Amino acid sequence: MVRVISAHHFTSQDVTCCQEPCSSTTAGDFLLLASPLHQIEVRDLTITSAPSHAFPTVDLVHTMVYSVVGRYLATVEHRDNLTFVRIYINWWSPEAANQPMRARIAGRVTPASSQEEMHLEMIELGVKDKVTGLAVCPATGNLLV
């Protein structure tokens, strides 16, 4: 015989469906779900009736972590047998997600944006060795690859 014991009574429940995510994480009040369609869906957990937005990724996301200090999202992405570490900035803004993505390579000089609009920015880190994981320091925002 099985006994079910109620441990917590929830005042409400919000259930939505999505494709099976490749990776997921939380970023404050946001839930981030990476889909096989090369995009990350952003859901605001404070406003259940608000529609979520999504922003594109370059390749299929395998792992992602969020930095509270830097307010960036770091991902490990795969294409064929190659692995990439990419950082996304301004991902939280639906307006930035609707603008073209601005791609940069870490350590390289890139021209400054002449527009004052907020853009989704992607910074690719050059890695030579196989990436086994990501971690973010909660105090400094430093990224460990």
Side-chain angles (χ1 to χ4, degrees):
M1 186 165 127
V2 176
R3 280 186 152 197
V4 177
I5 301 171
S6 178
H8 181 76
H9 296 285
F10 294 96
T11 57
S12 67
Q13 181 173 320
D14 184 26
V15 178
T16 57
C17 295
C18 68
Q19 289 185 356
E20 183 174 339
C22 302
S23 181
S24 63
T25 190
T26 57
D29 291 331
F30 294 105
L31 174 64
L32 306 172
L33 302 168
S35 79
L37 301 173
H38 295 233
Q39 68 179 9
I40 296 177
E41 185 177 336
V42 180
R43 296 185 181 195
D44 190 345
L45 299 176
T46 60
I47 307 170
T48 56
S49 62
S52 61
H53 72 277
F55 64 91
T57 60
V58 179
D59 292 309
L60 187 64
V61 175
H62 183 262
T63 308
M64 59 183 170
V65 294
Y66 172 68
S67 170
V68 177
V69 176
R71 202 171 184 190
Y72 64 81
L73 181 68
T75 64
V76 175
E77 300 179 18
H78 295 288
R79 177 181 55 216
D80 300 326
N81 291 331
L82 302 173
T83 302
F84 303 94
V85 176
R86 296 189 172 109
I87 297 169
Y88 293 91
I89 302 172
N90 298 331
W91 57 266
W92 46 266
S93 170
E95 294 81 21
N98 288 331
Q99 298 293 325
M101 183 189 304
R102 183 170 180 237
R104 298 188 288 167
I105 298 175
R108 308 275 179 164
V109 176
T110 56
S113 177
S114 60
Q115 302 168 345
E116 296 199 10
E117 295 178 348
M118 186 180 298
H119 285 80
L120 174 65
E121 294 190 42
M122 182 276 298
I123 303 169
E124 185 171 316
L125 301 180
V127 291
K128 295 179 182 177
D129 298 326
K130 183 174 176 153
V131 177
T132 57
L134 289 178
V136 174
C137 176
T140 63
N142 292 341
L143 179 65
L144 176 68
V145 179

